[in-house]
Amino acid sequence: MAEGRIPELVRGYFHAFQSADREVMESLLDDGFTFTSPWDDHIDRAAWFARCWPFAGTFRFREPMKTMVEGDECFVLYETEGKPGGTFRNTELFRFEGDRIRSIDVFFGFVPAGAPASGS
């Protein structure tokens, strides 16, 4: 895949999440997709849809997003605004297989007390 197409695909992912467009999201995620965050340890596509998709459409991603592409990987730094209020800022590492997202690793610093640790 040409590195030039990756930022467009990443923005498509965030737009699909923001607008809760499951059909577009399904087309973007590879069948072997995995997701890792401080709360999720390498979960598969089905688990991601069960755990993460219910939050689709509940916040807006601010522009501009900062993207840095190298080969088939892209780091994204973004901020959000929650519909009921509040904001947060994350960094995510996307890995691609062709034109589909193979994996995402999310990095954020603070994990609230009582939240499950990665791997538990």
Side-chain angles (χ1 to χ4, degrees), residues 36-38 75 89-93 105-109:
T36 301
S37 80
F75 273 105
R89 184 177 189 176
N90 283 350
T91 299
E92 300 191 8
L93 174 60
D105 292 330
V106 179
F107 306 94
F108 53 88

Side-chain angles (χ1 to χ4, degrees), residues 1-75:
M1 170 200 299
E3 289 183 17
R5 181 144 160 72
I6 288 177
E8 173 189 336
L9 294 168
V10 168
R11 282 176 174 44
Y13 166 89
F14 285 108
H15 180 73
F17 198 87
Q18 179 174 291
S19 61
D21 189 333
R22 175 118 183 198
E23 184 177 336
V24 168
M25 188 61 76
E26 294 268 359
S27 74
L28 289 169
L29 300 182
D30 189 72
D31 292 339
F33 173 79
T34 60
F35 180 84
T36 301
S37 80
W39 296 343
D40 306 285
D41 187 19
H42 204 72
I43 62 175
D44 66 12
R45 179 183 165 118
W48 183 86
F49 274 110
R51 289 185 194 180
C52 302
W53 191 251
F55 298 101
T58 63
F59 46 86
R60 183 177 77 77
F61 295 96
R62 293 180 177 168
E63 291 290 342
M65 290 182 178
K66 174 94 173 165
T67 59
M68 296 171 37
V69 177
E70 183 175 304
D72 64 352
E73 298 181 331
C74 180
F75 273 105

